[in-house]
Amino acid sequence: MPFHARLALCAALLLPTLPAANALAEDAAVASRLDARGIKYEVDEDGDYRVTYNYAEEGRTQLVFVSGRTESIGGFRVREVFAPAAWVDKDEIDGARALALLEDSRRQKLGAWEIGGGAVYFVIKVPDSVDAAQLEAAMDIAAEVADNKEIEFSGERDEL
């Protein structure tokens, strides 16, 4: 087999592994930022970083996730910080409540409400270049906004 054919074959075999290597680098970037702030986390099956906030005085917890991957748009690398606040069916998120969430999104200075997989999430999309303190601040905001909305929708129930 000629050298250039072998080189092309090697390149074809290696290219599919590059995104995986890049994903590992992104994961390490999130882990190092969370570690720098002393934040305890678990990596879920999707590769997202799961953090449980504990509001001891209120006797509540709130889940917050940092996406284990980034997306690119217009030259920006963006990472999502998201926190679930309600179940669409269980918490009866109908048209009126969805419109109220859109209105609330307009008032938010950072982040907005989204629906996915049967849940309502508060999502903050940050440039991946944020430092550890900024990432933690986004997580704090997402947790507080989502937990307050969970109380509004479900009362005392604390599932998310």
Side-chain angles (χ1 to χ4, degrees):
M1 176 182 281
F3 175 75
H4 67 278
R6 285 191 308 238
L7 184 62
L9 178 61
C10 288
L13 292 173
L14 289 175
L15 281 178
T17 64
L18 291 179
N22 190 33
L24 291 176
E26 290 174 1
D27 287 354
V30 173
S32 66
R33 288 179 236 176
L34 297 176
D35 291 343
R37 302 299 290 181
I39 298 171
K40 294 181 195 271
Y41 59 86
E42 298 174 9
V43 179
D44 70 12
E45 62 279 353
D46 296 332
D48 297 328
Y49 289 76
R50 176 184 168 148
V51 176
T52 302
Y53 277 67
N54 187 353
Y55 299 119
E57 287 183 23
E58 293 88 3
R60 298 183 60 80
T61 60
Q62 177 62 49
L63 295 175
V64 176
F65 297 86
V66 178
S67 180
R69 62 182 178 83
T70 61
E71 295 184 41
S72 295
I73 184 162
F76 291 94
R77 282 185 52 209
V78 179
R79 187 176 302 275
E80 291 186 352
V81 174
F82 54 100
W87 297 109
V88 174
D89 292 337
K90 191 174 193 175
D91 293 314
E92 300 174 354
I93 307 300
D94 58 9
R97 283 186 156 183
L99 286 174
L101 287 169
L102 283 174
E103 287 180 11
D104 188 57
S105 288
R106 176 74 173 109
R107 289 187 293 273
Q108 297 296 329
K109 300 304 175 217
L110 188 63
W113 293 102
E114 295 183 12
I115 293 177
V120 175
Y121 295 92
F122 190 72
V123 182
I124 300 174
K125 297 174 183 181
V126 297
D128 192 42
S129 59
V130 297
D131 65 24
Q134 292 167 325
L135 181 60
E136 182 179 26
M139 294 168 62
D140 293 347
I141 292 165
E144 183 177 345
V145 172
D147 195 56
N148 287 342
K149 193 60 71 175
E150 182 180 14
I151 292 168
E152 181 181 321
F153 283 144
S154 70
E156 295 300 314
R157 198 172 72 235
D158 184 26
E159 295 178 353
L160 306 165

